[in-house]
Amino acid sequence: MSDWEVYAIKYAERNARTRADSFIFDDNHDAPHAMDYYIWVIRNGTETILVDTGYDAKEAQLRGRPIQLDPREALKPLGIAAEDITDVIITHLHYDHAGGLHLFPNANLHLQEAEMAFATGPCMCHDTLRAPFTADHVCEAIQRLYSGKVRFYAGDAELRDGISLHCIGGHSRGLQAVRVRTQAGWIVLASDAAHYYENALRQKPFPIVVDLQNMLDGFETLNALASHPSLIIPGHDPLVRKAFPTFGPSHILRLDTGCTLSSFGEIQAYFPR
């Protein structure tokens, strides 16, 4: 019963945003609010699992959201080659989480049934719900399915000893978080179940939402799954870079050794009063 190492890899950022882009209810709606883009690595001595894939230069150009590092290049300092990845947990099929599926051609995908049904069903007739998806990425997931390389889950499930998947929903119908046993305790890779620490710790919903109750309930679930609030890892918060040490180059953060701040209250001190 060994612990896992966990890394956050930043591959892009978007700084021309305000708090209105991050929170439905906020008194400081016009204040700047930056966003980081991450993928995550879970590994032990024998196995490496990727959580999400990021997106590539083509998608970056189409959406006008440049990437700083191709996800494949971003992984190289960890000694990880894209073709060697055999398992990718897809938290949901939005472009910034599944836009690099084709970059990892040998991977089996781990995906919630509800997410595939959502991304290929009648909800996609609505422009607003379809906007975070890109058809080519969804088609890549379908191609992988027809190649026998998708494993579906209907709710919570154990993937490996010390790694479990938890269907949250809210932001997307089949959004899942990943719970990992580490030396620091149970870490929860929230992905977009909490874009920012503030979402989960102050119960502040993100504006892109399919089911608001599921999103709010999900904040409680994240807190229940993590050994400590500092071990909830939000999907896009630049504060993650203040809370965890770098591992080699500055775009790689090591999460399993725990929060480096003397008190998690230091993170909350960054929240507006």
Side-chain angles (χ1 to χ4, degrees), residues 76-127:
K76 283 185 178 179
L78 289 173
I80 298 172
E83 59 270 19
D84 293 336
I85 294 291
T86 58
D87 290 277
V88 176
I89 299 168
I90 300 298
T91 63
H92 58 307
L93 288 167
H94 284 178
Y95 80 94
D96 53 325
H97 295 263
L101 288 175
H102 64 290
L103 304 177
F104 303 94
N106 300 318
N108 295 287
L109 309 183
H110 301 270
L111 184 68
Q112 288 288 327
E113 292 178 11
E115 185 65 8
M116 182 68 90
F118 179 55
T120 58
C123 286
M124 294 299 101
C125 296
H126 299 290
D127 291 345

Side-chain angles (χ1 to χ4, degrees), residues 5-10 36 38 40 182-190 197 226 228-235 237-264 266-267 270:
E5 298 175 4
V6 187
Y7 301 86
I9 296 91
K10 180 192 170 193
D36 283 356
Y38 300 96
W40 301 272
T182 74
Q183 60 179 302
W186 287 101
I187 280 179
V188 178
L189 300 176
Y197 286 111
H228 186 271
S230 66
L231 298 180
I232 297 172
I233 311 300
D237 201 329
L239 288 179
V240 173
R241 291 187 281 120
K242 294 184 180 293
F244 292 90
T246 56
F247 186 83
S250 61
H251 72 280
I252 298 178
L253 308 170
R254 185 157 184 180
L255 307 178
D256 60 286
T257 54
C259 180
T260 59
L261 298 178
S262 59
S263 167
F264 188 59
E266 291 185 38
I267 286 181
Y270 285 96

Side-chain angles (χ1 to χ4, degrees), residues 118-141:
F118 179 55
T120 58
C123 286
M124 294 299 101
C125 296
H126 299 290
D127 291 345
T128 300
L129 294 178
R130 190 173 61 243
F133 294 93
T134 295
D136 285 349
H137 307 157
V138 178
C139 288
E140 173 66 26

Side-chain angles (χ1 to χ4, degrees), residues 16 52 74 116 140 151 158 166 169 183 192 201 210 230 238 266:
D52 290 340
M116 182 68 90
E140 173 66 26
R151 181 177 174 184
E158 185 176 60
H166 301 270
Q183 60 179 302
D192 289 359
L201 299 182
V210 176
S230 66
E266 291 185 38

Side-chain angles (χ1 to χ4, degrees), residues 38-93:
Y38 300 96
I39 57 178
W40 301 272
V41 166
I42 305 169
R43 71 181 184 184
N44 57 19
T46 59
E47 189 171 14
T48 298
I49 298 171
L50 184 66
V51 180
D52 290 340
T53 66
Y55 60 98
D56 64 4
K58 177 183 176 182
E59 186 72 13
Q61 184 174 12
L62 287 172
R63 291 188 179 260
R65 296 178 179 180
I67 57 172
Q68 296 166 311
L69 285 170
D70 180 286
R72 294 167 296 188
E73 293 298 316
L75 290 169
K76 283 185 178 179
L78 289 173
I80 298 172
E83 59 270 19
D84 293 336
I85 294 291
T86 58
D87 290 277
V88 176
I89 299 168
I90 300 298
T91 63
H92 58 307
L93 288 167

Side-chain angles (χ1 to χ4, degrees), residues 24-25 170 205-206 209-219:
I24 292 178
F25 308 113
F206 192 81
V209 57
V210 176
D211 189 308
L212 185 55
Q213 180 181 355
N214 283 352
M215 181 179 282
L216 292 167
D217 289 345
F219 298 154

